[in-house]
Amino acid sequence: MADTVKLPYQKELFGHPVGLYVLFFTEMWERFSYYGMRALLVLYMTAETLKGEQSGLGWTEGEAIALYGWYTMLVYLMSIPGGFIADRLIGQKKAVTIGALLLTAGHGVLAIDAIWAYYTGLGLVILGVGMLKPNISTMVGGLYKQNDIRRDKGFSIFYVGINLGSFTASLSVGLVASVYGWHYGFGLAGIGMLLGLLVYLYGQRFLVQVGNVPTIEEKSNDISIGTLLSQLLKSPLQLGIVIAIIAYAVYSGLTYNGNDSWGFAILYIFLAFVTGMMMMIYKNLNGQVEKDRYVVLLLSLLMVIVFWGCFEQMGGLMNLYAEQKTDRMLFGWEVPAAWFQGANAGFIILFSVFVANIWAKRKLKGKAADSLFKMATGVIIMGIGFVYMVFASMEYENNGSSAMYWLVLAYFFHTMGELCLSPVSLSFFTKLAPARYMALMMGVYWAATGLGNKVAGVIGESASKAGELNVFGGLFIFAVLFGILVLLFIKPLRRLTHGAEDKETIIRDNQTEGFELSDH
């Protein structure tokens, strides 16, 4: 009998579909472009306005961190319409193509030295990430059949690309920007995204079976936002709550004296509708088990907001601290401030397997290793990282500068906390969310991540008045106490999950491989 000829999309490399490696390199270059530009963002905005390539925008720290907060929030919020457009209209494959094109154009425009180009470039990047980010991960899952044991390892390989792109971007883009100028750094990020687009287009023949335009049956499986809003109009109590929140949003827009008052007003209106939908979902749940799990799901969202609200000081306030208040001289050479942004991805690559094995050993010994425990522990460990920023701030007040190792230690603890929470939270969310609301709830999860990023911007902005020492100290105390509070109530919270992870525990205990990496 003649051997069956495999089609391109059926071919494998190192035991996985070739399409996985196409998506690996696409995402690697996308993260290269995103994190390369992110490492420069607040540094460029606060740099002095000079003639030549080193000229920045000359903004205050508060203004720069505020825009950084809006930008990083919108990047995640755009995942909601990006995922919706793919799921309901064009499919993930076309959505990723559009996202890559928008990102390439956005980074290219950022290389132009003009204020209109800066805002236009950021807008295109926001739209591009929103189209690409939620959909490329969906395509990775689609490469494997439902019960394929290779799926988890495939995602692990994929996330190596994420962190590899982030790590190399912080080093190369930061170095180019420090030597040749900001816009050369933005341009290098754009070249990276162009390479990712070319890889993706070249590899289309290996992705034939995934990310295609959804069928009518697939579209009918999801509960639409319009359906929930129509139900909200029929519920006087929930509608009244939403209207009250919207009224407050408009009032705050009229009375708040800040530059971005209407930005906050629009955000409050958005949150009002999200609140209304979340209430309607709870009302429509079937039975007490679904409702109890939904309550725990909401708490996990709160932990996500708290975690990223603290963690994302890394790209804003801590990035500025590295630039302005850290002694970065090493053997007579000044380390670019943007390089410190690569510490997070570097630590993830080095310690992800180590952290995963620690949790696996705890589980084998019968000790607490469920998702709630991991997430609360992650918040505490991340909070401890701010102790080192407190020490750095105290050293700066005494000596006029602080040592680099304080930043490195802070980033190390932040990364250890991230490895406990980030790979777990999204998986835990999918276990608790009602199946018929899954697509919508995934959008809510990314919205919570985006809201955490905006909270980080608001906190970082306050440092100009409160001082870094107070901000870092406050973040340490709040994060640690919040994590401890969750641990104190963890037993009743576990009961409310009604064994959502029990079956998974049995399956995982029989597996010999564990490997977790994180994307934020």
Side-chain angles (χ1 to χ4, degrees), residues 371-383:
S371 295
L372 281 170
F373 186 82
K374 289 180 183 179
M375 292 168 67
T377 303
V379 173
I380 293 172
I381 294 174
M382 180 273 301

Side-chain angles (χ1 to χ4, degrees), residues 94-150:
K94 289 183 179 178
V96 171
T97 302
I98 294 171
L101 287 168
L102 288 171
L103 281 165
T104 302
H107 288 295
V109 172
L110 281 170
I112 301 173
D113 188 4
I115 190 64
W116 67 265
Y118 183 66
Y119 286 118
T120 303
L122 289 183
L124 290 171
V125 170
I126 289 169
L127 295 174
V129 175
M131 290 296 286
L132 188 147
K133 184 178 180 63
N135 296 308
I136 195 168
S137 297
T138 302
M139 292 177 67
V140 172
L143 292 171
Y144 301 92
K145 294 181 180 179
Q146 186 64 36
N147 297 317
D148 194 330
I149 61 173
R150 301 174 300 167

Side-chain angles (χ1 to χ4, degrees), residues 154-175:
F155 269 103
S156 297
I157 294 171
F158 177 71
Y159 284 128
V160 168
I162 290 173
N163 292 283
L164 185 61
S166 173
F167 179 72
T168 55
S170 299
L171 298 183
S172 58
V173 174
L175 181 61

